[in-house]
């Protein structure tokens, strides 16, 4: 959703921005977006994170969105899996915008 969360949560190469990624996905068309959400102090599911992310997804106009959480070991004590209800809450935000969303 925003560059600060991208850097903190994903650790991309220097110079990669959310806007560049969104622009590229828009150009592809007929794209399915997949996103991993994690809770905890190092996670990416605060209300502000989800709002910024969902706004970007809406602007991409994907054919579908797949949302999931951590399912096996992860390298930080600062993140943890989300409960299914939390994932459904994120999906509901997109569904309200008419975007088909599946949670795993």
């Amino acid at each position: 959703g925003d560059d600060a969360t991208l850097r903190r949560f994903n650790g991309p190469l220097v110079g990669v921005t959310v806007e560049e990624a969104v622009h590229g996905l828009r150009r592809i068309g007929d794209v399915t977006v997949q996103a991993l959400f994690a809770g905890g102090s190092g996670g990416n599911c605060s209300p502000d994170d989800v709002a910024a992310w969902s706004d970007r997804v809406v602007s991409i106009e994907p054919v579908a969105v797949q949302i999931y959480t951590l399912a096996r070991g992860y390298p930080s004590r600062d993140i943890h899996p989300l409960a299914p209800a939390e994932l459904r809450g994120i999906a509901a935000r997109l569904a309200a915008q008419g975007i088909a969303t599946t949670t795993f």
Side-chain angles (χ1 to χ4, degrees):
D2 62 60
D3 290 329
T5 303
L6 177 69
R7 285 189 304 275
R8 179 179 47 77
F9 193 73
N10 296 93
L13 297 173
V14 175
V16 175
T17 67
V18 169
E19 190 54 43
E20 290 170 337
V22 168
H23 177 72
L25 291 170
R26 281 187 201 132
R27 290 184 64 198
I28 291 171
D30 290 340
V31 66
T32 296
V33 171
Q34 294 181 327
L36 181 141
F37 285 92
S41 62
N44 63 341
C45 69
S46 74
D48 289 342
D49 290 337
V50 172
W53 175 81
S54 62
D55 288 347
R56 298 290 187 150
V57 170
V58 168
S59 76
I60 294 167
E61 299 179 353
V63 295
V65 175
Q66 299 172 348
I67 299 172
Y68 56 98
T69 193
L70 303 162
R72 52 184 174 258
Y74 36 93
S76 173
R77 293 181 183 161
D78 296 332
I79 59 175
H80 58 78
L82 293 184
E86 292 172 292
L87 291 176
R88 288 191 299 270
I90 296 168
R93 185 178 186 102
L94 294 178
Q97 298 289 321
I99 298 174
T101 307
T102 305
T103 60
F104 297 92

